[in-house]
Amino acid sequence: MKLAIIYILGAAVFAVPCIYDVTSLEPSALAGLLAAASSF
């Protein structure tokens, strides 16, 4: 159960653009990782 909570929190960090400013236009970390992976 503890591991599932850690995975959910980790996914939430990658999903939101910025934890402190939800209205930020900055892309999420997941979008950045996908863009970096697709450039190879």
Side-chain angles (χ1 to χ4, degrees):
M1 185 66 182
K2 186 176 181 180
L3 189 59
I5 293 172
I6 292 171
Y7 281 136
I8 290 170
L9 290 175
V13 168
F14 278 109
V16 295
C18 182
I19 293 174
Y20 303 110
D21 185 13
V22 180
T23 60
S24 175
L25 297 177
E26 181 180 336
S28 67
L30 183 60
L33 286 175
L34 289 175
S38 66
S39 67
F40 288 111

PDB file of all heavy atoms in Angstrom:
ATOM      1  N   MET A   1       0.832  -1.196   0.000  1.00  0.00           N
ATOM      2  CA  MET A   1       0.000   0.000   0.000  1.00  0.00           C
ATOM      3  C   MET A   1       0.876   1.259   0.000  1.00  0.00           C
ATOM      4  O   MET A   1       0.573   2.213  -0.686  1.00  0.00           O
ATOM      5  CB  MET A   1      -0.912  -0.050   1.232  1.00  0.00           C
ATOM      6  CG  MET A   1      -1.888   1.075   1.272  1.00  0.00           C
ATOM      7  SD  MET A   1      -3.042   0.929  -0.097  1.00  0.00           S
ATOM      8  CE  MET A   1      -4.019   2.342   0.122  1.00  0.00           C
ATOM      9  N   LYS A   2       1.935   1.211   0.798  1.00  0.00           N
ATOM     10  CA  LYS A   2       2.831   2.364   0.886  1.00  0.00           C
ATOM     11  C   LYS A   2       3.493   2.637  -0.466  1.00  0.00           C
ATOM     12  O   LYS A   2       3.640   3.787  -0.878  1.00  0.00           O
ATOM     13  CB  LYS A   2       3.880   2.100   1.959  1.00  0.00           C
ATOM     14  CG  LYS A   2       4.772   3.261   2.239  1.00  0.00           C
ATOM     15  CD  LYS A   2       5.720   2.926   3.390  1.00  0.00           C
ATOM     16  CE  LYS A   2       6.608   4.082   3.706  1.00  0.00           C
ATOM     17  NZ  LYS A   2       7.532   3.783   4.812  1.00  0.00           N
ATOM     18  N   LEU A   3       3.855   1.574  -1.169  1.00  0.00           N
ATOM     19  CA  LEU A   3       4.488   1.718  -2.481  1.00  0.00           C
ATOM     20  C   LEU A   3       3.517   2.323  -3.497  1.00  0.00           C
ATOM     21  O   LEU A   3       3.906   3.152  -4.322  1.00  0.00           O
ATOM     22  CB  LEU A   3       4.981   0.354  -2.964  1.00  0.00           C
ATOM     23  CG  LEU A   3       5.856   0.345  -4.200  1.00  0.00           C
ATOM     24  CD1 LEU A   3       7.109   1.183  -3.973  1.00  0.00           C
ATOM     25  CD2 LEU A   3       6.242  -1.074  -4.557  1.00  0.00           C
ATOM     26  N   ALA A   4       2.240   1.951  -3.420  1.00  0.00           N
ATOM     27  CA  ALA A   4       1.232   2.505  -4.319  1.00  0.00           C
ATOM     28  C   ALA A   4       1.071   4.004  -4.090  1.00  0.00           C
ATOM     29  O   ALA A   4       0.924   4.766  -5.044  1.00  0.00           O
ATOM     30  CB  ALA A   4      -0.100   1.787  -4.112  1.00  0.00           C
ATOM     31  N   ILE A   5       1.104   4.437  -2.848  1.00  0.00           N
ATOM     32  CA  ILE A   5       0.988   5.863  -2.533  1.00  0.00           C
ATOM     33  C   ILE A   5       2.185   6.628  -3.096  1.00  0.00           C
ATOM     34  O   ILE A   5       2.036   7.714  -3.652  1.00  0.00           O
ATOM     35  CB  ILE A   5       0.848   6.064  -1.017  1.00  0.00           C
ATOM     36  CG1 ILE A   5      -0.482   5.497  -0.545  1.00  0.00           C
ATOM     37  CG2 ILE A   5       0.959   7.533  -0.644  1.00  0.00           C
ATOM     38  CD1 ILE A   5      -0.641   5.460   0.957  1.00  0.00           C
ATOM     39  N   ILE A   6       3.363   6.043  -2.983  1.00  0.00           N
ATOM     40  CA  ILE A   6       4.567   6.684  -3.524  1.00  0.00           C
ATOM     41  C   ILE A   6       4.464   6.826  -5.036  1.00  0.00           C
ATOM     42  O   ILE A   6       4.807   7.863  -5.605  1.00  0.00           O
ATOM     43  CB  ILE A   6       5.820   5.897  -3.104  1.00  0.00           C
ATOM     44  CG1 ILE A   6       6.032   6.026  -1.599  1.00  0.00           C
ATOM     45  CG2 ILE A   6       7.050   6.382  -3.868  1.00  0.00           C
ATOM     46  CD1 ILE A   6       7.110   5.119  -1.048  1.00  0.00           C
ATOM     47  N   TYR A   7       3.975   5.779  -5.717  1.00  0.00           N
ATOM     48  CA  TYR A   7       3.810   5.838  -7.167  1.00  0.00           C
ATOM     49  C   TYR A   7       2.779   6.892  -7.573  1.00  0.00           C
ATOM     50  O   TYR A   7       2.966   7.612  -8.542  1.00  0.00           O
ATOM     51  CB  TYR A   7       3.393   4.477  -7.720  1.00  0.00           C
ATOM     52  CG  TYR A   7       4.532   3.506  -7.865  1.00  0.00           C
ATOM     53  CD1 TYR A   7       4.387   2.187  -7.467  1.00  0.00           C
ATOM     54  CD2 TYR A   7       5.759   3.900  -8.385  1.00  0.00           C
ATOM     55  CE1 TYR A   7       5.423   1.281  -7.584  1.00  0.00           C
ATOM     56  CE2 TYR A   7       6.799   3.008  -8.507  1.00  0.00           C
ATOM     57  CZ  TYR A   7       6.635   1.704  -8.114  1.00  0.00           C
ATOM     58  OH  TYR A   7       7.654   0.829  -8.232  1.00  0.00           O
ATOM     59  N   ILE A   8       1.685   6.985  -6.837  1.00  0.00           N
ATOM     60  CA  ILE A   8       0.651   7.972  -7.155  1.00  0.00           C
ATOM     61  C   ILE A   8       1.188   9.385  -6.966  1.00  0.00           C
ATOM     62  O   ILE A   8       0.961  10.265  -7.801  1.00  0.00           O
ATOM     63  CB  ILE A   8      -0.603   7.726  -6.288  1.00  0.00           C
ATOM     64  CG1 ILE A   8      -1.286   6.433  -6.732  1.00  0.00           C
ATOM     65  CG2 ILE A   8      -1.568   8.899  -6.375  1.00  0.00           C
ATOM     66  CD1 ILE A   8      -2.392   5.969  -5.814  1.00  0.00           C
ATOM     67  N   LEU A   9       1.912   9.624  -5.888  1.00  0.00           N
ATOM     68  CA  LEU A   9       2.484  10.951  -5.656  1.00  0.00           C
ATOM     69  C   LEU A   9       3.523  11.287  -6.722  1.00  0.00           C
ATOM     70  O   LEU A   9       3.599  12.419  -7.195  1.00  0.00           O
ATOM     71  CB  LEU A   9       3.104  11.025  -4.267  1.00  0.00           C
ATOM     72  CG  LEU A   9       2.127  11.023  -3.100  1.00  0.00           C
ATOM     73  CD1 LEU A   9       2.872  10.984  -1.780  1.00  0.00           C
ATOM     74  CD2 LEU A   9       1.221  12.235  -3.170  1.00  0.00           C
ATOM     75  N   GLY A  10       4.322  10.311  -7.118  1.00  0.00           N
ATOM     76  CA  GLY A  10       5.297  10.533  -8.182  1.00  0.00           C
ATOM     77  C   GLY A  10       4.626  10.857  -9.501  1.00  0.00           C
ATOM     78  O   GLY A  10       5.063  11.752 -10.235  1.00  0.00           O
ATOM     79  N   ALA A  11       3.550  10.165  -9.819  1.00  0.00           N
ATOM     80  CA  ALA A  11       2.812  10.437 -11.048  1.00  0.00           C
ATOM     81  C   ALA A  11       2.181  11.824 -11.009  1.00  0.00           C
ATOM     82  O   ALA A  11       2.134  12.524 -12.023  1.00  0.00           O
ATOM     83  CB  ALA A  11       1.743   9.373 -11.264  1.00  0.00           C
ATOM     84  N   ALA A  12       1.711  12.237  -9.848  1.00  0.00           N
ATOM     85  CA  ALA A  12       1.113  13.568  -9.720  1.00  0.00           C
ATOM     86  C   ALA A  12       2.151  14.659  -9.952  1.00  0.00           C
ATOM     87  O   ALA A  12       1.859  15.678 -10.570  1.00  0.00           O
ATOM     88  CB  ALA A  12       0.474  13.718  -8.350  1.00  0.00           C
ATOM     89  N   VAL A  13       3.366  14.446  -9.474  1.00  0.00           N
ATOM     90  CA  VAL A  13       4.424  15.438  -9.676  1.00  0.00           C
ATOM     91  C   VAL A  13       4.744  15.575 -11.162  1.00  0.00           C
ATOM     92  O   VAL A  13       4.958  16.671 -11.671  1.00  0.00           O
ATOM     93  CB  VAL A  13       5.688  15.042  -8.875  1.00  0.00           C
ATOM     94  CG1 VAL A  13       6.884  15.871  -9.291  1.00  0.00           C
ATOM     95  CG2 VAL A  13       5.426  15.199  -7.396  1.00  0.00           C
ATOM     96  N   PHE A  14       4.770  14.448 -11.886  1.00  0.00           N
ATOM     97  CA  PHE A  14       5.040  14.514 -13.315  1.00  0.00           C
ATOM     98  C   PHE A  14       3.861  15.051 -14.103  1.00  0.00           C
ATOM     99  O   PHE A  14       4.030  15.586 -15.195  1.00  0.00           O
ATOM    100  CB  PHE A  14       5.414  13.126 -13.845  1.00  0.00           C
ATOM    101  CG  PHE A  14       6.858  12.789 -13.608  1.00  0.00           C
ATOM    102  CD1 PHE A  14       7.214  11.844 -12.673  1.00  0.00           C
ATOM    103  CD2 PHE A  14       7.843  13.417 -14.331  1.00  0.00           C
ATOM    104  CE1 PHE A  14       8.530  11.536 -12.448  1.00  0.00           C
ATOM    105  CE2 PHE A  14       9.173  13.118 -14.109  1.00  0.00           C
ATOM    106  CZ  PHE A  14       9.523  12.171 -13.175  1.00  0.00           C
ATOM    107  N   ALA A  15       2.651  14.927 -13.602  1.00  0.00           N
ATOM    108  CA  ALA A  15       1.468  15.322 -14.353  1.00  0.00           C
ATOM    109  C   ALA A  15       1.197  16.826 -14.290  1.00  0.00           C
ATOM    110  O   ALA A  15       0.790  17.419 -15.287  1.00  0.00           O
ATOM    111  CB  ALA A  15       0.252  14.558 -13.834  1.00  0.00           C
ATOM    112  N   VAL A  16       1.426  17.445 -13.148  1.00  0.00           N
ATOM    113  CA  VAL A  16       1.108  18.868 -13.019  1.00  0.00           C
ATOM    114  C   VAL A  16       2.245  19.722 -13.558  1.00  0.00           C
ATOM    115  O   VAL A  16       3.409  19.372 -13.419  1.00  0.00           O
ATOM    116  CB  VAL A  16       0.811  19.258 -11.549  1.00  0.00           C
ATOM    117  CG1 VAL A  16      -0.424  18.568 -11.051  1.00  0.00           C
ATOM    118  CG2 VAL A  16       1.972  18.980 -10.650  1.00  0.00           C
ATOM    119  N   PRO A  17       1.934  20.837 -14.226  1.00  0.00           N
ATOM    120  CA  PRO A  17       2.986  21.705 -14.758  1.00  0.00           C
ATOM    121  C   PRO A  17       3.856  22.299 -13.663  1.00  0.00           C
ATOM    122  O   PRO A  17       5.066  22.276 -13.747  1.00  0.00           O
ATOM    123  CB  PRO A  17       2.234  22.802 -15.494  1.00  0.00           C
ATOM    124  CG  PRO A  17       0.847  22.351 -15.625  1.00  0.00           C
ATOM    125  CD  PRO A  17       0.614  21.303 -14.578  1.00  0.00           C
ATOM    126  N   CYS A  18       3.238  22.829 -12.633  1.00  0.00           N
ATOM    127  CA  CYS A  18       3.990  23.428 -11.540  1.00  0.00           C
ATOM    128  C   CYS A  18       3.143  23.294 -10.281  1.00  0.00           C
ATOM    129  O   CYS A  18       1.984  23.674 -10.270  1.00  0.00           O
ATOM    130  CB  CYS A  18       4.285  24.899 -11.835  1.00  0.00           C
ATOM    131  SG  CYS A  18       5.266  25.685 -10.560  1.00  0.00           S
ATOM    132  N   ILE A  19       3.729  22.757  -9.239  1.00  0.00           N
ATOM    133  CA  ILE A  19       2.957  22.496  -8.026  1.00  0.00           C
ATOM    134  C   ILE A  19       2.520  23.805  -7.363  1.00  0.00           C
ATOM    135  O   ILE A  19       1.426  23.913  -6.836  1.00  0.00           O
ATOM    136  CB  ILE A  19       3.790  21.644  -7.045  1.00  0.00           C
ATOM    137  CG1 ILE A  19       4.000  20.273  -7.643  1.00  0.00           C
ATOM    138  CG2 ILE A  19       3.123  21.544  -5.689  1.00  0.00           C
ATOM    139  CD1 ILE A  19       4.918  19.377  -6.855  1.00  0.00           C
ATOM    140  N   TYR A  20       3.358  24.822  -7.431  1.00  0.00           N
ATOM    141  CA  TYR A  20       3.055  26.063  -6.724  1.00  0.00           C
ATOM    142  C   TYR A  20       2.151  26.993  -7.524  1.00  0.00           C
ATOM    143  O   TYR A  20       1.446  27.803  -6.953  1.00  0.00           O
ATOM    144  CB  TYR A  20       4.358  26.785  -6.372  1.00  0.00           C
ATOM    145  CG  TYR A  20       5.279  25.918  -5.561  1.00  0.00           C
ATOM    146  CD1 TYR A  20       6.451  25.423  -6.093  1.00  0.00           C
ATOM    147  CD2 TYR A  20       4.947  25.574  -4.261  1.00  0.00           C
ATOM    148  CE1 TYR A  20       7.292  24.610  -5.349  1.00  0.00           C
ATOM    149  CE2 TYR A  20       5.778  24.757  -3.507  1.00  0.00           C
ATOM    150  CZ  TYR A  20       6.949  24.288  -4.060  1.00  0.00           C
ATOM    151  OH  TYR A  20       7.760  23.477  -3.327  1.00  0.00           O
ATOM    152  N   ASP A  21       2.189  26.906  -8.843  1.00  0.00           N
ATOM    153  CA  ASP A  21       1.362  27.773  -9.685  1.00  0.00           C
ATOM    154  C   ASP A  21       0.655  26.907 -10.718  1.00  0.00           C
ATOM    155  O   ASP A  21       1.207  26.565 -11.746  1.00  0.00           O
ATOM    156  CB  ASP A  21       2.241  28.827 -10.371  1.00  0.00           C
ATOM    157  CG  ASP A  21       1.426  29.824 -11.162  1.00  0.00           C
ATOM    158  OD1 ASP A  21       0.187  29.855 -10.996  1.00  0.00           O
ATOM    159  OD2 ASP A  21       2.019  30.579 -11.951  1.00  0.00           O
ATOM    160  N   VAL A  22      -0.582  26.549 -10.429  1.00  0.00           N
ATOM    161  CA  VAL A  22      -1.335  25.638 -11.288  1.00  0.00           C
ATOM    162  C   VAL A  22      -1.635  26.274 -12.632  1.00  0.00           C
ATOM    163  O   VAL A  22      -1.731  25.583 -13.648  1.00  0.00           O
ATOM    164  CB  VAL A  22      -2.631  25.208 -10.567  1.00  0.00           C
ATOM    165  CG1 VAL A  22      -3.436  24.247 -11.431  1.00  0.00           C
ATOM    166  CG2 VAL A  22      -2.309  24.556  -9.240  1.00  0.00           C
ATOM    167  N   THR A  23      -1.739  27.599 -12.696  1.00  0.00           N
ATOM    168  CA  THR A  23      -2.070  28.280 -13.942  1.00  0.00           C
ATOM    169  C   THR A  23      -0.829  28.559 -14.792  1.00  0.00           C
ATOM    170  O   THR A  23      -0.915  29.258 -15.788  1.00  0.00           O
ATOM    171  CB  THR A  23      -2.799  29.605 -13.656  1.00  0.00           C
ATOM    172  OG1 THR A  23      -1.933  30.444 -12.881  1.00  0.00           O
ATOM    173  CG2 THR A  23      -4.090  29.365 -12.900  1.00  0.00           C
ATOM    174  N   SER A  24       0.306  28.007 -14.413  1.00  0.00           N
ATOM    175  CA  SER A  24       1.548  28.229 -15.141  1.00  0.00           C
ATOM    176  C   SER A  24       1.472  27.620 -16.536  1.00  0.00           C
ATOM    177  O   SER A  24       0.892  26.562 -16.743  1.00  0.00           O
ATOM    178  CB  SER A  24       2.714  27.605 -14.382  1.00  0.00           C
ATOM    179  OG  SER A  24       3.895  27.707 -15.134  1.00  0.00           O
ATOM    180  N   LEU A  25       2.062  28.301 -17.509  1.00  0.00           N
ATOM    181  CA  LEU A  25       2.092  27.800 -18.887  1.00  0.00           C
ATOM    182  C   LEU A  25       3.302  26.908 -19.139  1.00  0.00           C
ATOM    183  O   LEU A  25       3.515  26.436 -20.254  1.00  0.00           O
ATOM    184  CB  LEU A  25       2.101  28.978 -19.865  1.00  0.00           C
ATOM    185  CG  LEU A  25       0.864  29.874 -19.809  1.00  0.00           C
ATOM    186  CD1 LEU A  25       1.014  31.044 -20.761  1.00  0.00           C
ATOM    187  CD2 LEU A  25      -0.386  29.079 -20.130  1.00  0.00           C
ATOM    188  N   GLU A  26       4.086  26.683 -18.111  1.00  0.00           N
ATOM    189  CA  GLU A  26       5.253  25.823 -18.232  1.00  0.00           C
ATOM    190  C   GLU A  26       4.805  24.378 -18.461  1.00  0.00           C
ATOM    191  O   GLU A  26       3.885  23.897 -17.805  1.00  0.00           O
ATOM    192  CB  GLU A  26       6.057  25.905 -16.940  1.00  0.00           C
ATOM    193  CG  GLU A  26       7.311  25.086 -16.935  1.00  0.00           C
ATOM    194  CD  GLU A  26       8.059  25.215 -15.617  1.00  0.00           C
ATOM    195  OE1 GLU A  26       7.869  26.223 -14.927  1.00  0.00           O
ATOM    196  OE2 GLU A  26       8.809  24.289 -15.303  1.00  0.00           O
ATOM    197  N   PRO A  27       5.418  23.673 -19.409  1.00  0.00           N
ATOM    198  CA  PRO A  27       5.004  22.282 -19.651  1.00  0.00           C
ATOM    199  C   PRO A  27       5.373  21.378 -18.480  1.00  0.00           C
ATOM    200  O   PRO A  27       6.289  21.683 -17.712  1.00  0.00           O
ATOM    201  CB  PRO A  27       5.785  21.894 -20.905  1.00  0.00           C
ATOM    202  CG  PRO A  27       6.932  22.826 -20.954  1.00  0.00           C
ATOM    203  CD  PRO A  27       6.476  24.098 -20.306  1.00  0.00           C
ATOM    204  N   SER A  28       4.651  20.302 -18.339  1.00  0.00           N
ATOM    205  CA  SER A  28       4.919  19.389 -17.231  1.00  0.00           C
ATOM    206  C   SER A  28       6.231  18.655 -17.448  1.00  0.00           C
ATOM    207  O   SER A  28       6.775  18.616 -18.549  1.00  0.00           O
ATOM    208  CB  SER A  28       3.772  18.379 -17.098  1.00  0.00           C
ATOM    209  OG  SER A  28       3.751  17.530 -18.218  1.00  0.00           O
ATOM    210  N   ALA A  29       6.720  18.045 -16.391  1.00  0.00           N
ATOM    211  CA  ALA A  29       7.962  17.277 -16.483  1.00  0.00           C
ATOM    212  C   ALA A  29       7.788  16.088 -17.417  1.00  0.00           C
ATOM    213  O   ALA A  29       8.710  15.720 -18.141  1.00  0.00           O
ATOM    214  CB  ALA A  29       8.374  16.816 -15.099  1.00  0.00           C
ATOM    215  N   LEU A  30       6.596  15.510 -17.436  1.00  0.00           N
ATOM    216  CA  LEU A  30       6.331  14.376 -18.314  1.00  0.00           C
ATOM    217  C   LEU A  30       6.403  14.807 -19.775  1.00  0.00           C
ATOM    218  O   LEU A  30       6.970  14.105 -20.611  1.00  0.00           O
ATOM    219  CB  LEU A  30       4.961  13.780 -17.990  1.00  0.00           C
ATOM    220  CG  LEU A  30       4.560  12.549 -18.769  1.00  0.00           C
ATOM    221  CD1 LEU A  30       5.562  11.421 -18.536  1.00  0.00           C
ATOM    222  CD2 LEU A  30       3.176  12.092 -18.388  1.00  0.00           C
ATOM    223  N   ALA A  31       5.863  15.978 -20.098  1.00  0.00           N
ATOM    224  CA  ALA A  31       5.944  16.483 -21.466  1.00  0.00           C
ATOM    225  C   ALA A  31       7.392  16.763 -21.871  1.00  0.00           C
ATOM    226  O   ALA A  31       7.789  16.507 -23.004  1.00  0.00           O
ATOM    227  CB  ALA A  31       5.102  17.751 -21.604  1.00  0.00           C
ATOM    228  N   GLY A  32       8.171  17.250 -20.926  1.00  0.00           N
ATOM    229  CA  GLY A  32       9.584  17.494 -21.204  1.00  0.00           C
ATOM    230  C   GLY A  32      10.340  16.212 -21.459  1.00  0.00           C
ATOM    231  O   GLY A  32      11.190  16.136 -22.353  1.00  0.00           O
ATOM    232  N   LEU A  33      10.051  15.182 -20.684  1.00  0.00           N
ATOM    233  CA  LEU A  33      10.703  13.893 -20.886  1.00  0.00           C
ATOM    234  C   LEU A  33      10.305  13.268 -22.219  1.00  0.00           C
ATOM    235  O   LEU A  33      11.140  12.695 -22.922  1.00  0.00           O
ATOM    236  CB  LEU A  33      10.343  12.929 -19.745  1.00  0.00           C
ATOM    237  CG  LEU A  33      11.005  13.200 -18.410  1.00  0.00           C
ATOM    238  CD1 LEU A  33      10.445  12.247 -17.354  1.00  0.00           C
ATOM    239  CD2 LEU A  33      12.509  13.021 -18.519  1.00  0.00           C
ATOM    240  N   LEU A  34       9.046  13.399 -22.593  1.00  0.00           N
ATOM    241  CA  LEU A  34       8.605  12.861 -23.883  1.00  0.00           C
ATOM    242  C   LEU A  34       9.241  13.614 -25.034  1.00  0.00           C
ATOM    243  O   LEU A  34       9.613  13.001 -26.043  1.00  0.00           O
ATOM    244  CB  LEU A  34       7.067  12.936 -23.981  1.00  0.00           C
ATOM    245  CG  LEU A  34       6.308  11.978 -23.092  1.00  0.00           C
ATOM    246  CD1 LEU A  34       4.803  12.219 -23.193  1.00  0.00           C
ATOM    247  CD2 LEU A  34       6.628  10.540 -23.446  1.00  0.00           C
ATOM    248  N   ALA A  35       9.366  14.915 -24.917  1.00  0.00           N
ATOM    249  CA  ALA A  35      10.007  15.704 -25.964  1.00  0.00           C
ATOM    250  C   ALA A  35      11.488  15.351 -26.091  1.00  0.00           C
ATOM    251  O   ALA A  35      12.026  15.232 -27.200  1.00  0.00           O
ATOM    252  CB  ALA A  35       9.844  17.188 -25.675  1.00  0.00           C
ATOM    253  N   ALA A  36      12.150  15.141 -24.970  1.00  0.00           N
ATOM    254  CA  ALA A  36      13.554  14.761 -24.996  1.00  0.00           C
ATOM    255  C   ALA A  36      13.740  13.364 -25.584  1.00  0.00           C
ATOM    256  O   ALA A  36      14.681  13.125 -26.344  1.00  0.00           O
ATOM    257  CB  ALA A  36      14.138  14.825 -23.592  1.00  0.00           C
ATOM    258  N   ALA A  37      12.854  12.466 -25.256  1.00  0.00           N
ATOM    259  CA  ALA A  37      12.957  11.092 -25.767  1.00  0.00           C
ATOM    260  C   ALA A  37      12.648  11.023 -27.250  1.00  0.00           C
ATOM    261  O   ALA A  37      13.229  10.207 -27.979  1.00  0.00           O
ATOM    262  CB  ALA A  37      12.013  10.183 -24.992  1.00  0.00           C
ATOM    263  N   SER A  38      11.758  11.886 -27.726  1.00  0.00           N
ATOM    264  CA  SER A  38      11.389  11.826 -29.151  1.00  0.00           C
ATOM    265  C   SER A  38      12.422  12.529 -30.038  1.00  0.00           C
ATOM    266  O   SER A  38      12.362  12.385 -31.250  1.00  0.00           O
ATOM    267  CB  SER A  38      10.009  12.457 -29.354  1.00  0.00           C
ATOM    268  OG  SER A  38      10.060  13.833 -29.070  1.00  0.00           O
ATOM    269  N   SER A  39      13.339  13.265 -29.441  1.00  0.00           N
ATOM    270  CA  SER A  39      14.328  13.980 -30.249  1.00  0.00           C
ATOM    271  C   SER A  39      15.488  13.078 -30.675  1.00  0.00           C
ATOM    272  O   SER A  39      16.301  13.482 -31.496  1.00  0.00           O
ATOM    273  CB  SER A  39      14.857  15.199 -29.501  1.00  0.00           C
ATOM    274  OG  SER A  39      15.602  14.780 -28.377  1.00  0.00           O
ATOM    275  N   PHE A  40      15.582  11.878 -30.115  1.00  0.00           N
ATOM    276  CA  PHE A  40      16.683  10.979 -30.475  1.00  0.00           C
ATOM    277  C   PHE A  40      16.439  10.273 -31.761  1.00  0.00           C
ATOM    278  O   PHE A  40      15.547   9.855 -32.228  1.00  0.00           O
ATOM    279  CB  PHE A  40      16.934   9.956 -29.359  1.00  0.00           C
ATOM    280  CG  PHE A  40      17.565  10.590 -28.167  1.00  0.00           C
ATOM    281  CD1 PHE A  40      16.876  10.728 -26.984  1.00  0.00           C
ATOM    282  CD2 PHE A  40      18.867  11.088 -28.217  1.00  0.00           C
ATOM    283  CE1 PHE A  40      17.443  11.310 -25.876  1.00  0.00           C
ATOM    284  CE2 PHE A  40      19.457  11.673 -27.122  1.00  0.00           C
ATOM    285  CZ  PHE A  40      18.738  11.774 -25.954  1.00  0.00           C
TER     286      PHE A  40
END
